[in-house]
Amino acid sequence: MTITPNHALPIDHFLDLVSDTLVNSYCFRSTGRVTATIGKKNGPLAGPLFNYRVVSDDGIEIIHSDGRIERWTGIRIEGGLLHVERDGQLQTFTIRKPAP
């Protein structure tokens, strides 16, 4: 799967959830894969690999290994922030480029 250039999702950048308690970091690739680091700050972390698909110009679905589907809709970027409705909850992610 290739993401079209006009899609709202930044490809090959890290998206880090703005949260005081949770760690959710995602890096979407043009191949339809997304690497993630998820867990709690100062707690256990996991590094799963998921698949994703584009469902609209501002929406994606992330497919977990157990078949669960996570929906991100209303994806929009303002400066260095990505705003999204994620499974019904508004969330904000910082956008950062990978280290060279």
Side-chain angles (χ1 to χ4, degrees), residues 7-64:
H7 189 271
L9 191 67
I11 300 300
D12 296 328
H13 286 71
F14 290 96
L15 305 177
D16 300 310
L17 180 66
V18 176
S19 172
D20 292 333
T21 58
L22 298 176
V23 172
N24 279 214
S25 180
Y26 297 89
C27 186
F28 292 86
R29 306 293 183 180
S30 61
T31 60
R33 299 284 226 171
V34 57
T35 56
T37 302
I38 55 176
K40 294 184 178 186
K41 289 188 178 174
N42 300 315
L45 297 175
L49 178 65
F50 301 126
N51 292 312
Y52 74 98
R53 62 182 165 231
V54 175
V55 294
S56 68
D57 284 344
D58 68 348
I60 60 164
E61 292 178 335
I62 298 174
I63 301 96
H64 296 246

Side-chain angles (χ1 to χ4, degrees), residues 53 61-64 66-71 87:
R53 62 182 165 231
E61 292 178 335
I62 298 174
I63 301 96
H64 296 246
D66 62 2
R68 185 174 73 85
I69 295 177
E70 180 178 318
R71 289 179 176 80
D87 286 338

